[in-house]
PDB file of all heavy atoms in Angstrom:
ATOM      1  N   ALA V  64     164.113  56.815 145.297  1.00  0.00           N
ATOM      2  CA  ALA V  64     165.547  57.101 145.181  1.00  0.00           C
ATOM      3  C   ALA V  64     166.115  57.521 146.532  1.00  0.00           C
ATOM      4  O   ALA V  64     167.210  57.081 146.916  1.00  0.00           O
ATOM      5  CB  ALA V  64     165.778  58.190 144.136  1.00  0.00           C
ATOM      6  N   ASP V  65     165.391  58.369 147.267  1.00  0.00           N
ATOM      7  CA  ASP V  65     165.832  58.751 148.618  1.00  0.00           C
ATOM      8  C   ASP V  65     165.932  57.526 149.512  1.00  0.00           C
ATOM      9  O   ASP V  65     166.904  57.353 150.244  1.00  0.00           O
ATOM     10  CB  ASP V  65     164.853  59.751 149.253  1.00  0.00           C
ATOM     11  CG  ASP V  65     165.034  61.172 148.769  1.00  0.00           C
ATOM     12  OD1 ASP V  65     166.008  61.446 148.044  1.00  0.00           O
ATOM     13  OD2 ASP V  65     164.175  62.017 149.129  1.00  0.00           O
ATOM     14  N   MET V  66     164.921  56.669 149.467  1.00  0.00           N
ATOM     15  CA  MET V  66     164.917  55.470 150.307  1.00  0.00           C
ATOM     16  C   MET V  66     166.078  54.543 149.929  1.00  0.00           C
ATOM     17  O   MET V  66     166.702  53.938 150.804  1.00  0.00           O
ATOM     18  CB  MET V  66     163.575  54.739 150.199  1.00  0.00           C
ATOM     19  CG  MET V  66     162.402  55.531 150.742  1.00  0.00           C
ATOM     20  SD  MET V  66     162.609  56.095 152.438  1.00  0.00           S
ATOM     21  CE  MET V  66     162.563  54.548 153.310  1.00  0.00           C
ATOM     22  N   ALA V  67     166.387  54.449 148.652  1.00  0.00           N
ATOM     23  CA  ALA V  67     167.509  53.618 148.206  1.00  0.00           C
ATOM     24  C   ALA V  67     168.830  54.174 148.738  1.00  0.00           C
ATOM     25  O   ALA V  67     169.702  53.417 149.172  1.00  0.00           O
ATOM     26  CB  ALA V  67     167.530  53.537 146.678  1.00  0.00           C
ATOM     27  N   ARG V  68     168.977  55.491 148.727  1.00  0.00           N
ATOM     28  CA  ARG V  68     170.201  56.111 149.269  1.00  0.00           C
ATOM     29  C   ARG V  68     170.311  55.857 150.771  1.00  0.00           C
ATOM     30  O   ARG V  68     171.398  55.618 151.285  1.00  0.00           O
ATOM     31  CB  ARG V  68     170.210  57.609 148.982  1.00  0.00           C
ATOM     32  CG  ARG V  68     170.505  57.922 147.522  1.00  0.00           C
ATOM     33  CD  ARG V  68     170.533  59.409 147.246  1.00  0.00           C
ATOM     34  NE  ARG V  68     171.520  60.106 148.066  1.00  0.00           N
ATOM     35  CZ  ARG V  68     171.436  61.395 148.387  1.00  0.00           C
ATOM     36  NH1 ARG V  68     170.403  62.108 147.974  1.00  0.00           N
ATOM     37  NH2 ARG V  68     172.358  61.959 149.114  1.00  0.00           N
ATOM     38  N   ILE V  69     169.192  55.910 151.475  1.00  0.00           N
ATOM     39  CA  ILE V  69     169.196  55.693 152.927  1.00  0.00           C
ATOM     40  C   ILE V  69     169.567  54.247 153.245  1.00  0.00           C
ATOM     41  O   ILE V  69     170.347  53.986 154.161  1.00  0.00           O
ATOM     42  CB  ILE V  69     167.823  56.059 153.533  1.00  0.00           C
ATOM     43  CG1 ILE V  69     167.615  57.578 153.470  1.00  0.00           C
ATOM     44  CG2 ILE V  69     167.693  55.556 154.967  1.00  0.00           C
ATOM     45  CD1 ILE V  69     166.195  58.033 153.784  1.00  0.00           C
ATOM     46  N   THR V  70     169.019  53.319 152.494  1.00  0.00           N
ATOM     47  CA  THR V  70     169.239  51.892 152.789  1.00  0.00           C
ATOM     48  C   THR V  70     170.430  51.287 152.053  1.00  0.00           C
ATOM     49  O   THR V  70     170.779  50.136 152.296  1.00  0.00           O
ATOM     50  CB  THR V  70     167.983  51.075 152.437  1.00  0.00           C
ATOM     51  OG1 THR V  70     167.697  51.241 151.035  1.00  0.00           O
ATOM     52  CG2 THR V  70     166.789  51.512 153.262  1.00  0.00           C
ATOM     53  N   GLY V  71     171.012  52.063 151.137  1.00  0.00           N
ATOM     54  CA  GLY V  71     172.165  51.555 150.396  1.00  0.00           C
ATOM     55  C   GLY V  71     171.804  50.524 149.348  1.00  0.00           C
ATOM     56  O   GLY V  71     172.613  49.660 149.018  1.00  0.00           O
ATOM     57  N   THR V  72     170.603  50.588 148.817  1.00  0.00           N
ATOM     58  CA  THR V  72     170.175  49.647 147.785  1.00  0.00           C
ATOM     59  C   THR V  72     170.163  50.339 146.426  1.00  0.00           C
ATOM     60  O   THR V  72     170.369  51.546 146.323  1.00  0.00           O
ATOM     61  CB  THR V  72     168.776  49.083 148.107  1.00  0.00           C
ATOM     62  OG1 THR V  72     167.860  50.172 148.230  1.00  0.00           O
ATOM     63  CG2 THR V  72     168.790  48.298 149.406  1.00  0.00           C
ATOM     64  N   ALA V  73     169.872  49.573 145.400  1.00  0.00           N
ATOM     65  CA  ALA V  73     169.850  50.109 144.039  1.00  0.00           C
ATOM     66  C   ALA V  73     168.708  51.109 143.860  1.00  0.00           C
ATOM     67  O   ALA V  73     167.591  50.877 144.328  1.00  0.00           O
ATOM     68  CB  ALA V  73     169.700  48.973 143.033  1.00  0.00           C
ATOM     69  N   ALA V  74     169.018  52.187 143.194  1.00  0.00           N
ATOM     70  CA  ALA V  74     168.024  53.240 142.960  1.00  0.00           C
ATOM     71  C   ALA V  74     167.127  52.880 141.783  1.00  0.00           C
ATOM     72  O   ALA V  74     167.542  52.167 140.866  1.00  0.00           O
ATOM     73  CB  ALA V  74     168.730  54.560 142.687  1.00  0.00           C
TER      74      ALA V  74
END
Side-chain angles (χ1 to χ4, degrees):
D65 281 352
M66 295 305 292
R68 286 181 58 205
I69 290 169
T70 60
T72 57

